[in-house]
Amino acid sequence: MIPIQPSPPHGRRHPQPPVDGRALRTVCGSFATGVTVITTGGPEDGAATTVNSFASVSLAPPLVLFCLHRRSRLGPVLQRSRGFVVNFLTRSQEGLAWKFAGRESARLAEVPHHRSASGLPVLTEALAFLECRLAEEYDGGDHAIVVGEVVALGTSGGEADPLVFYRGAMRALDSDVPASARG
Protein backbone atom coordinates (compact mmCIF):
# COMPACT_ATOMS: atom_id res chain seq x y z
CA MET A 1 0.00 0.00 0.00
CA ILE A 2 1.46 3.34 -1.04
CA PRO A 3 0.57 6.25 1.24
CA ILE A 4 -0.93 9.18 -0.59
CA GLN A 5 0.03 11.36 2.34
CA PRO A 6 2.48 9.84 4.83
CA SER A 7 1.33 9.26 8.37
CA PRO A 8 3.63 10.09 11.31
CA PRO A 9 5.50 7.33 13.16
CA HIS A 10 3.55 6.03 16.15
CA GLY A 11 4.16 7.82 19.43
CA ARG A 12 5.48 11.05 17.92
CA ARG A 13 3.36 14.14 18.27
CA HIS A 14 4.58 16.83 15.93
CA PRO A 15 2.46 19.50 14.36
CA GLN A 16 0.95 17.94 11.28
CA PRO A 17 0.34 19.72 8.02
CA PRO A 18 -3.32 19.75 7.02
CA VAL A 19 -4.53 16.79 5.03
CA ASP A 20 -4.62 17.59 1.33
CA GLY A 21 -8.23 17.82 0.10
CA ARG A 22 -7.51 15.98 -3.15
CA ALA A 23 -5.77 13.17 -1.28
CA LEU A 24 -8.72 12.89 1.10
CA ARG A 25 -11.12 12.72 -1.84
CA THR A 26 -9.01 10.00 -3.49
CA VAL A 27 -8.88 7.86 -0.35
CA CYS A 28 -12.58 8.32 0.46
CA GLY A 29 -13.35 7.39 -3.15
CA SER A 30 -12.21 3.87 -2.25
CA PHE A 31 -15.37 3.50 -0.16
CA ALA A 32 -18.33 2.49 -2.32
CA THR A 33 -21.55 4.33 -1.52
CA GLY A 34 -25.09 4.29 -2.74
CA VAL A 35 -26.35 7.18 -4.83
CA THR A 36 -29.36 9.18 -3.71
CA VAL A 37 -31.19 12.25 -4.87
CA ILE A 38 -32.50 14.44 -2.07
CA THR A 39 -35.73 16.24 -3.01
CA THR A 40 -37.56 18.97 -1.12
CA GLY A 41 -39.90 21.90 -1.58
CA GLY A 42 -43.40 22.53 -2.81
CA PRO A 43 -44.83 22.65 -6.34
CA GLU A 44 -43.41 26.15 -6.97
CA ASP A 45 -39.96 25.73 -5.44
CA GLY A 46 -39.21 21.99 -5.69
CA ALA A 47 -35.49 21.25 -5.77
CA ALA A 48 -33.20 18.24 -5.89
CA THR A 49 -29.52 17.38 -5.57
CA THR A 50 -27.47 14.21 -5.90
CA VAL A 51 -25.89 12.99 -2.66
CA ASN A 52 -23.78 9.96 -1.81
CA SER A 53 -23.10 11.02 1.79
CA PHE A 54 -26.18 9.29 3.18
CA ALA A 55 -26.35 7.07 6.29
CA SER A 56 -28.92 5.47 8.54
CA VAL A 57 -28.37 6.75 12.09
CA SER A 58 -30.96 5.18 14.40
CA LEU A 59 -33.94 2.84 14.30
CA ALA A 60 -35.59 4.19 17.47
CA PRO A 61 -36.23 6.99 16.75
CA PRO A 62 -35.89 6.44 12.99
CA LEU A 63 -33.13 8.88 11.97
CA VAL A 64 -31.02 9.27 8.84
CA LEU A 65 -28.44 11.82 7.76
CA PHE A 66 -26.84 13.29 4.68
CA CYS A 67 -24.25 16.00 4.14
CA LEU A 68 -25.11 19.08 2.11
CA HIS A 69 -22.58 21.63 0.84
CA ARG A 70 -23.11 25.01 2.48
CA ARG A 71 -23.52 26.68 -0.93
CA SER A 72 -25.96 24.10 -2.30
CA ARG A 73 -29.04 25.48 -4.04
CA LEU A 74 -31.05 22.94 -1.99
CA GLY A 75 -30.23 24.58 1.37
CA PRO A 76 -32.67 27.52 1.31
CA VAL A 77 -35.50 25.35 -0.05
CA LEU A 78 -34.86 22.73 2.66
CA GLN A 79 -34.97 25.41 5.36
CA ARG A 80 -38.35 26.65 4.10
CA SER A 81 -39.93 23.21 3.67
CA ARG A 82 -38.48 21.66 6.89
CA GLY A 83 -38.63 18.22 5.24
CA PHE A 84 -36.93 16.18 2.55
CA VAL A 85 -37.07 12.88 0.70
CA VAL A 86 -34.11 10.54 0.20
CA ASN A 87 -34.59 8.77 -3.15
CA PHE A 88 -32.41 5.66 -3.66
CA LEU A 89 -31.50 5.40 -7.33
CA THR A 90 -31.39 2.38 -9.62
CA ARG A 91 -28.57 1.66 -12.06
CA SER A 92 -30.81 2.84 -14.90
CA GLN A 93 -31.04 6.30 -13.26
CA GLU A 94 -27.37 7.21 -13.72
CA GLY A 95 -28.30 10.02 -16.11
CA LEU A 96 -30.68 11.44 -13.54
CA ALA A 97 -27.96 11.34 -10.88
CA TRP A 98 -25.65 13.37 -13.12
CA LYS A 99 -28.45 15.85 -13.96
CA PHE A 100 -28.78 16.77 -10.30
CA ALA A 101 -25.06 16.57 -9.45
CA GLY A 102 -23.87 19.91 -10.86
CA ARG A 103 -24.28 23.46 -9.70
CA GLU A 104 -26.59 24.11 -12.63
CA SER A 105 -28.91 21.12 -12.59
CA ALA A 106 -32.09 19.85 -14.10
CA ARG A 107 -35.33 21.27 -12.85
CA LEU A 108 -37.35 18.91 -10.68
CA ALA A 109 -40.43 19.69 -12.79
CA GLU A 110 -38.68 17.99 -15.76
CA VAL A 111 -38.34 14.66 -13.93
CA PRO A 112 -41.12 12.12 -13.26
CA HIS A 113 -42.16 12.56 -9.64
CA HIS A 114 -45.22 12.65 -7.44
CA ARG A 115 -46.01 14.27 -4.12
CA SER A 116 -46.06 12.51 -0.77
CA ALA A 117 -49.03 12.88 1.57
CA SER A 118 -47.30 15.91 3.12
CA GLY A 119 -46.52 17.44 -0.29
CA LEU A 120 -42.82 16.62 -0.71
CA PRO A 121 -41.54 15.45 -4.10
CA VAL A 122 -40.76 11.72 -4.51
CA LEU A 123 -38.98 10.47 -7.64
CA THR A 124 -41.43 8.11 -9.32
CA GLU A 125 -38.87 5.60 -10.61
CA ALA A 126 -36.64 5.45 -7.51
CA LEU A 127 -35.72 2.07 -6.06
CA ALA A 128 -36.97 3.24 -2.64
CA PHE A 129 -37.56 6.44 -0.70
CA LEU A 130 -37.54 7.83 2.85
CA GLU A 131 -39.64 10.89 3.64
CA CYS A 132 -38.14 12.85 6.52
CA ARG A 133 -38.91 15.74 8.81
CA LEU A 134 -35.86 17.98 9.34
CA ALA A 135 -34.74 17.15 12.88
CA GLU A 136 -31.29 18.69 13.35
CA GLU A 137 -28.48 20.32 11.45
CA TYR A 138 -24.85 20.22 12.59
CA ASP A 139 -21.71 21.98 11.46
CA GLY A 140 -19.61 19.83 9.18
CA GLY A 141 -17.05 22.31 7.88
CA ASP A 142 -17.96 23.29 4.33
CA HIS A 143 -21.00 20.99 4.63
CA ALA A 144 -24.03 20.84 6.92
CA ILE A 145 -24.80 17.47 8.47
CA VAL A 146 -28.56 17.21 8.01
CA VAL A 147 -30.45 14.77 10.26
CA GLY A 148 -33.99 13.79 9.44
CA GLU A 149 -36.63 11.77 11.25
CA VAL A 150 -38.19 9.24 8.88
CA VAL A 151 -41.97 9.74 8.76
CA ALA A 152 -42.83 7.64 5.68
CA LEU A 153 -41.08 5.19 3.38
CA GLY A 154 -41.64 2.96 0.41
CA THR A 155 -40.06 0.79 -2.26
CA SER A 156 -40.75 0.35 -5.95
CA GLY A 157 -41.53 -3.31 -5.36
CA GLY A 158 -39.58 -4.21 -8.47
CA GLU A 159 -36.21 -5.92 -8.77
CA ALA A 160 -33.54 -3.46 -9.88
CA ASP A 161 -29.83 -2.98 -9.28
CA PRO A 162 -28.92 0.02 -7.13
CA LEU A 163 -26.64 2.74 -8.43
CA VAL A 164 -23.33 2.96 -6.56
CA PHE A 165 -20.49 5.47 -6.62
CA TYR A 166 -16.90 4.20 -6.43
CA ARG A 167 -13.61 5.91 -7.30
CA GLY A 168 -15.29 8.83 -9.01
CA ALA A 169 -17.63 6.83 -11.21
CA MET A 170 -21.21 5.59 -11.14
CA ARG A 171 -21.34 1.80 -11.21
CA ALA A 172 -23.61 -1.21 -10.82
CA LEU A 173 -23.19 -4.11 -8.46
CA ASP A 174 -21.41 -7.12 -9.89
CA SER A 175 -23.99 -8.84 -12.05
CA ASP A 176 -22.45 -12.25 -11.18
CA VAL A 177 -23.83 -11.99 -7.65
CA PRO A 178 -27.05 -14.05 -7.44
CA ALA A 179 -30.17 -11.97 -6.74
CA SER A 180 -30.86 -14.09 -3.64
CA ALA A 181 -27.52 -13.01 -2.15
CA ARG A 182 -28.29 -9.33 -2.68
CA GLY A 183 -31.10 -9.34 -0.17
Side-chain angles (χ1 to χ4, degrees), residues 138-154:
Y138 299 98
D139 181 33
D142 60 358
H143 282 67
I145 302 166
V146 179
V147 178
E149 180 179 5
V150 179
V151 296
L153 49 83

Side-chain angles (χ1 to χ4, degrees), residues 8-100:
H10 293 291
R12 295 191 184 158
R13 295 202 181 252
H14 298 284
Q16 295 297 311
V19 171
D20 176 68
R22 282 192 211 119
L24 178 61
R25 180 176 226 154
T26 298
V27 170
C28 288
S30 295
F31 180 68
T33 64
V35 181
T36 68
V37 167
I38 306 297
T39 53
T40 190
E44 295 80 36
D45 68 344
T49 194
T50 301
V51 168
N52 71 331
S53 60
F54 165 81
S56 173
V57 176
S58 170
L59 296 177
L63 300 174
V64 298
L65 70 77
F66 72 95
C67 298
L68 184 65
H69 196 280
R70 294 271 183 210
R71 294 189 310 239
S72 171
R73 67 193 170 281
L74 195 77
V77 183
L78 175 61
Q79 291 305 313
R80 284 191 302 274
S81 72
R82 307 303 293 170
F84 59 91
V85 175
V86 181
N87 298 274
F88 301 115
L89 300 189
T90 67
R91 176 67 178 123
S92 65
Q93 292 178 297
E94 178 179 349
L96 182 68
W98 286 117
K99 283 182 181 180
F100 287 120

Side-chain angles (χ1 to χ4, degrees), residues 107-123:
R107 293 174 16 106
L108 185 59
E110 299 166 355
V111 176
H113 69 282
H114 59 278
R115 296 281 166 177
S116 68
S118 63
L120 291 173
V122 178
L123 298 181

